[in-house]
Amino acid sequence: MRPSLPLLLASSAAALPWGGPHHHQTPMRVELGPRPYYLVDNMDAGPLKDQLAACSEGPFHRSDFVFAHRGAPLQFPEHTREGYAAAARMGAGVIECDVTFTADKQLVCRHSMCDLHSTTDILTRPELAKKCTQGFTPADNQRGIPASANCCTADITLAEFESLCAKMDGVNLNATTLTEYLDGTPRFRTDLYATCGTLMTHKAYIAMVDDLGLKFTSEAKLPAVPMPFNGYTQEQFLSDIIADYKAAGIDASRVWPQSFQFEDIAYWIKTAPDFAEQALFLDPRVSTQEGYINATASLPGLAAQGLKIVAPGFWALTQLDANKKIVPSAYAVAARKAGLDIVTWSFDRSGWLNKGGDSFYQPIHEVINNDGDMYTVLDVLVKQVGIKGLFTDWAATVVYYANCFGL
């Protein structure tokens, strides 16, 4: 039996009828919990720490600057009803659904078409595990061969997808048993709220977010199957994402469609220009030095084709100057010069920062030495780079800053 929705959304209003008629609720009280206070306390002494500390008692309100990346996956299974509810309670103004499709061509929320083996209990369900593209294969540690599996939404129907329980994303590549394989949650996350997360269809996500009075961002994930898929084209997939919003009566001004493929953005510019006004190009080219250089040079051309918002990972937006100060990168400067707005991703996804952080902080790792440096970086992104929004795995972290500085 599925657990009932936690009291994350408790209020004087009746329970929200997700999936049913839209009933816009009175905005809930925002609750941030201890994490922002821990981060502020952990900061190096200075004016920014003093400013943030002075905001400690709020009041705190929802902020459209804050995009809930996959819900609240620092502590909740990603793209679940429970994770979306947690993000809403923490004040995120925009909730994300990464969109892919099932064998019967129905849209669902998953970060990847082929992540069911690491994010759900599908491998423990023999009748569904046998449908996976690849079932569980244990590690051969003597030969250095990792454990593996590959289960995709396109392997199963919508009804089968909805029967799954979500878990925290992660697998143990050294596992020799299925139980060991599924026990792979990163150490900086938790399984405390991962008893049986409720998976979401795209339509159910829209209904829930609309009921909460929040805004939307749907990413068209790159299909892991050859397209067309049984006659289902990439263009139809992109059109169906927009069609779900239109069918629900959602105004385009509340939606930020996304894709890592500029061709997808161009298709929306051509076929759904009102929704394309806020389309986010998740520029993938900035992950290599050569790609970064080419991407920076291409920004005026993308703007000329109708792109309004570029959204690279935040590592691409900062660098160190000669005095080891964090400053806007060449890419950030070029984007603003081209007239492009900037949204970026993803905070609270890097674990502990006392050793310089991971790839998100690579260009500035020399000056990153504690978790509180997250706010130092965020301050540069807001006040110098000029970002318009930030995806985060734990909305409270960014909501605290956003409220403190009126975002």
Side-chain angles (χ1 to χ4, degrees):
M1 179 181 296
R2 289 191 183 277
S4 60
L5 185 66
L7 296 177
L8 293 162
L9 295 175
S11 70
S12 58
L16 298 177
W18 295 316
H22 298 179
H23 296 86
H24 299 285
Q25 303 295 311
T26 300
M28 67 186 69
R29 183 176 65 188
V30 171
E31 297 180 4
L32 301 185
R35 180 160 176 76
Y37 302 94
Y38 163 79
L39 294 174
V40 172
D41 184 63
N42 194 244
M43 293 176 69
D44 296 331
L48 179 60
K49 180 174 183 175
D50 293 342
Q51 287 177 292
L52 288 169
C55 298
S56 65
E57 304 313 305
F60 298 107
H61 307 283
R62 175 184 298 168
S63 172
D64 289 348
F65 177 82
V66 184
F67 288 54
H69 182 242
R70 311 187 200 180
L74 185 64
Q75 294 192 38
F76 289 80
E78 62 187 43
H79 292 307
T80 60
R81 183 182 68 171
E82 295 78 12
Y84 291 155
R89 173 58 74 186
M90 289 186 283
V94 186
I95 308 290
E96 180 185 46
C97 169
D98 293 327
V99 188
T100 186
F101 54 85
T102 60
D104 44 353
K105 307 170 189 175
Q106 300 300 304
L107 302 187
V108 295
C109 300
R110 284 290 89 199
H111 177 64
S112 167
M113 174 175 278
C114 295
D115 71 6
L116 296 181
H117 54 282
S118 66
T119 63
T120 76
D121 65 346
I122 190 170
L123 290 172
T124 70
R125 306 272 297 279
E127 75 283 7
L128 297 182
K130 67 183 180 182
K131 296 187 175 186
C132 289
T133 298
Q134 178 204 331
F136 170 65
T137 301
D140 185 336
N141 292 317
Q142 290 186 336
R143 298 171 59 193
I145 301 174
S148 62
N150 192 35
C151 301
C152 307
T153 58
D155 293 334
I156 59 176
T157 66
L158 177 63
E160 291 167 335
F161 173 86
E162 292 186 298
S163 75
L164 297 173
C165 284
K167 72 177 197 67
M168 294 298 283
D169 184 20
V171 294
N172 176 5
L173 297 179
N174 297 316
T176 57
T177 68
L178 179 57
T179 299
E180 292 175 345
Y181 182 71
L182 295 175
D183 186 17
T185 301
R187 289 177 56 218
F188 65 90
R189 296 183 183 148
T190 178
D191 290 314
L192 185 61
Y193 306 111
T195 52
C196 181
T198 308
L199 275 65
M200 300 292 286
T201 68
H202 190 235
K203 289 184 174 69
Y205 150 81
I206 291 174
M208 177 179 182
V209 174
D210 192 29
D211 285 336
L212 292 167
L214 302 178
K215 297 180 180 179
F216 313 81
T217 181
S218 293
E219 179 186 339
K221 300 303 296 188
L222 181 66
V225 293
M227 298 292 278
F229 173 73
N230 295 334
Y232 192 57
T233 66
Q234 180 71 9
E235 293 75 16
Q236 186 61 57
F237 172 50
L238 297 171
S239 296
D240 284 351
I241 292 173
I242 302 302
D244 278 352
Y245 285 110
K246 291 182 176 180
I250 305 299
D251 191 85
S253 64
R254 296 175 64 194
V255 184
W256 282 263
Q258 324 166 42
S259 179
F260 277 96
Q261 298 187 105
F262 185 74
E263 295 82 359
D264 293 348
I265 305 296
Y267 180 80
W268 283 326
I269 291 172
K270 179 181 178 181
T271 63
D274 50 345
F275 284 86
E277 282 291 309
Q278 295 185 143
L280 308 179
F281 175 42
L282 306 169
D283 197 341
R285 302 168 297 169
V286 296
S287 296
T288 67
Q289 183 175 4
E290 181 180 2
Y292 175 90
I293 293 170
N294 291 336
T296 301
S298 75
L299 294 174
L302 296 181
Q305 295 180 64
L307 180 68
K308 301 295 178 64
I309 310 173
V310 68
F314 71 79
W315 71 84
L317 299 175
T318 59
Q319 62 187 34
L320 297 179
D321 67 10
N323 297 314
K324 303 299 182 183
K325 297 292 185 181
I326 305 172
V327 296
S329 69
Y331 183 101
V333 172
R336 297 302 304 275
K337 186 176 180 180
L340 294 167
D341 283 334
I342 303 172
V343 172
T344 190
W345 47 274
S346 295
F347 254 40
D348 268 311
R349 195 160 186 82
S350 299
W352 304 279
L353 301 185
N354 60 327
K355 295 183 180 179
D358 61 7
S359 58
F360 281 98
Y361 296 86
Q362 184 57 38
I364 56 173
H365 71 93
E366 295 175 59
V367 300
I368 301 299
N369 54 46
N370 59 60
D371 287 348
D373 281 334
M374 289 177 62
Y375 280 136
T376 303
V377 174
L378 177 52
D379 199 55
V380 174
L381 290 171
V382 170
K383 296 177 182 176
Q384 297 185 50
V385 174
I387 63 170
K388 301 299 184 182
L390 177 62
F391 286 84
T392 176
D393 282 21
W394 197 245
T397 299
V398 184
V399 168
Y400 185 100
Y401 179 97
N403 276 256
C404 195
F405 290 100
L407 300 176

